[in-house]
Amino acid sequence: MDAALIAGILIALLAVFTVLRSIRIVPQARAGNVERLGRYSRTLGPGLNFLIPWVDRVKPLIDLREQVVSFKPQPVITEDNLVVDIDTVLYFQVTDPRAAAYEIANFIQGVEQLTVTTLRNVVGGMDLEKTLTSRDTINSQLRGVLDEATGKWGIRVNRVEIKAIDPPKSIKEAMEKQMRAERDKRAAILTAEGFRQSQILTAEGEKQSAILRAEGDRTAAILKAEGQSQAIDEVFQAVHRNDPDPQLLAYQYLQVLPQLAQGSGNTFWVIPSEVTSALQGVSRAFTESLPRSPATREVTETKSSAKEEAAIAAKAAEDAIADAEETGPRSLGPGTAATDALSGLGNARPQPAEALREPRPDES
C-alpha cells in the first residue's frame, strides 16, 4: 500500500513537471531560441509558448531593446605620433536573435574589438588638432564600418559617440600655454583696436575744433576788416565833405612829429625831407589872411593873443626851416631848437580866421 502510494505521487510529480516544461512564457522585448534535439528549431516571441517536453530546449533570452555599452579608454596613435586615450560609447540593438546567438559567440566583445580597430584606423590618419575638432567625422566613419560589419550578426549599430579624448600631460600643458597665448593675443589686439579708435576719435574732434576755431577767426577777421573799412570810409567821406586845405593837413602832419621825439628811448631821430614843406605850409597858414567864415565871426576878443601866438609859431617855424635847410637830416633830442619849435607848433592850435586877419573899418 505504501509502495503504490509513493509510485502514484512520483507519477503525479512527473506529470506536473512535464507540463511545466511544455509551457514557456517570454517577456516583452525578449526573444528565445529553441533547440530541438540540439538543433535550432525556432525563436520564441513574447507571450505564452508551448514546447515538447524533454525534446525542446530554450537558450537564454536575448534582449531586443536598444543597449548602451561604454568601452574603456583605448590608446590610439595619431598621424603626428602622439598617443591619445579615446573613450567611446556604443548604441546598438539586436534585430535577429538567431544570428546574434549562432553567428558570433559573444557579440558584445566582437563589437568592442571592432570599434577599437576601426577607431585606430580612422584616427591614425589625423593629427591631434584635427582629431580634437573632428568628432562628428570620426563618429560617422565608426558607425558606417560597425553597421556594415555587424549586420550579419543580427545587430544594428545606431550611434557611436566619442566620450573623451585625453592627450598626454605634456601636450595638455602645451595646449594650455597656446590657449593662454591666443587669449593674450586677442586681448592685445582688442586693446590696440580700442586705442586706435580712441586716437581716431580724438583726432577727429581736434580737427573739427580746429576747423570751427579757424572759421571763427576768419569770421572775426572779416568783421574786423569790414569795421575798419567802414571806419576808413566814414573818415574819408567826412574829410571830403569838409574839403580840408593843404595847410590843415600840413599842420596835422607836424603835430605828430613832437610825439615821436618825446619817447624815452628815442635818442636818434631823422628829420624827413618833407618837414620843410610842411613847415612852410604851416607858416603860410598862420601868416596869410584866411577868408571870412561864418564860424569865426563870433570870436573877436582873442585877436591880439592869437596874433601874438601865431607870430611866435611862425618865427619858430622859419627858424626850424632855416636850420633844416643848412644841416640836412640830423639827430634830434629833447631840448634842441628844432624839437622845441616842433613842440610849439604842435601845441599851437589853429585860431579862427577872424582872429588872424586885420579888422575892417566897417567892423570896428
Side-chain angles (χ1 to χ4, degrees):
M1 187 67 183
D2 293 335
L5 181 60
I6 293 173
I9 293 173
L10 292 177
I11 294 173
L13 292 176
L14 182 60
V16 171
F17 186 73
T18 302
V19 172
L20 292 177
R21 286 184 61 90
S22 63
I23 299 174
R24 187 65 182 269
I25 298 175
V26 179
Q28 183 66 33
R30 301 289 192 279
N33 295 320
V34 177
E35 291 181 353
R36 179 170 296 175
L37 299 176
R39 186 177 180 181
Y40 171 79
S41 174
R42 58 193 177 95
T43 300
L44 301 180
L48 182 63
N49 297 277
F50 295 96
L51 302 174
I52 299 176
W54 315 111
V55 177
D56 295 338
R57 185 172 66 91
V58 180
K59 298 191 68 173
L61 299 179
I62 299 175
D63 195 345
L64 301 180
R65 296 173 296 178
E66 185 175 4
Q67 303 180 43
V68 180
V69 180
S70 178
F71 303 126
K72 63 181 181 179
Q74 299 293 330
V76 180
I77 301 176
T78 61
E79 187 179 10
D80 48 357
N81 297 325
L82 294 176
V83 179
V84 295
D85 294 333
I86 300 179
D87 190 3
T88 57
V89 179
L90 182 67
Y91 298 83
F92 71 95
Q93 185 177 9
V94 177
T95 57
D96 187 359
R98 176 185 173 280
Y102 295 103
E103 295 295 335
I104 187 171
N106 189 344
F107 61 87
I108 298 293
Q109 185 178 2
V111 170
E112 180 180 3
Q113 296 301 322
L114 184 61
T115 302
V116 172
T117 55
T118 306
L119 187 63
R120 288 176 178 174
N121 291 332
V122 174
V123 176
M126 300 180 180
D127 55 6
L128 178 61
E129 185 175 357
K130 189 175 181 180
T131 302
L132 296 175
T133 58
S134 304
R135 294 194 178 192
D136 294 338
T137 303
I138 298 174
N139 293 338
S140 61
Q141 293 183 9
L142 282 176
R143 182 180 178 279
V145 173
L146 291 175
D147 197 15
E148 181 181 0
T150 58
K152 62 180 180 179
W153 299 344
I155 298 173
R156 184 177 69 245
V157 177
N158 297 326
R159 295 180 62 185
V160 178
E161 295 290 341
I162 296 178
K163 186 166 61 175
I165 299 177
D166 297 328
K169 185 177 180 180
S170 58
I171 301 299
K172 288 183 178 180
E173 294 177 355
M175 292 172 62
E176 290 178 357
K177 292 180 180 179
Q178 181 181 3
M179 186 181 302
R180 190 179 301 109
E182 288 292 335
R183 290 178 179 176
D184 294 340
K185 175 183 175 182
R186 289 196 296 267
I189 292 174
L190 293 177
T191 302
E193 288 291 336
F195 181 75
R196 174 174 173 270
Q197 293 294 331
S198 175
Q199 292 295 322
I200 291 175
L201 294 178
T202 302
E204 288 291 336
E206 293 178 353
K207 175 184 175 182
Q208 295 296 330
S209 175
I211 291 173
L212 294 177
R213 191 180 299 107
E215 291 179 354
D217 294 340
R218 184 187 67 178
T219 304
I222 292 174
L223 294 177
K224 185 177 180 180
E226 291 179 355
Q228 292 178 354
S229 175
Q230 293 179 2
I232 294 172
D233 185 66
E234 290 293 335
V235 172
F236 183 78
Q237 294 296 333
V239 169
H240 280 271
R241 283 197 303 268
N242 294 319
D243 193 15
D245 53 1
Q247 289 80 7
L248 177 60
L249 298 178
Y251 175 75
Q252 293 292 334
Y253 177 74
L254 293 174
Q255 199 173 14
V256 179
L257 294 178
Q259 298 177 5
L260 299 176
Q262 290 175 1
S264 59
N266 294 335
T267 59
F268 181 80
W269 188 45
V270 178
I271 300 177
S273 60
E274 292 84 357
V275 72
T276 58
S277 60
L279 291 172
Q280 292 175 0
V282 173
S283 176
R284 288 194 300 270
F286 283 106
T287 56
E288 295 179 358
S289 298
L290 297 176
R292 189 172 182 179
S293 174
T296 60
R297 288 181 180 179
E298 298 178 357
V299 184
T300 57
E301 63 277 4
T302 60
K303 294 181 180 179
S304 59
S305 62
K307 288 182 178 181
E308 295 176 358
E309 188 177 354
I312 294 171
K315 180 63 176 174
E318 291 178 356
D319 295 339
I321 292 172
D323 191 11
E325 290 178 351
E326 292 177 358
T327 60
R330 60 186 180 90
S331 62
L332 290 180
T336 61
T339 306
D340 296 339
L342 294 176
S343 300
L345 291 176
N347 296 328
R349 294 171 294 179
Q351 301 298 329
E354 187 66 23
L356 299 177
R357 66 182 180 83
E358 294 293 334
R360 295 183 181 180
D362 55 356
E363 292 180 355
S364 59

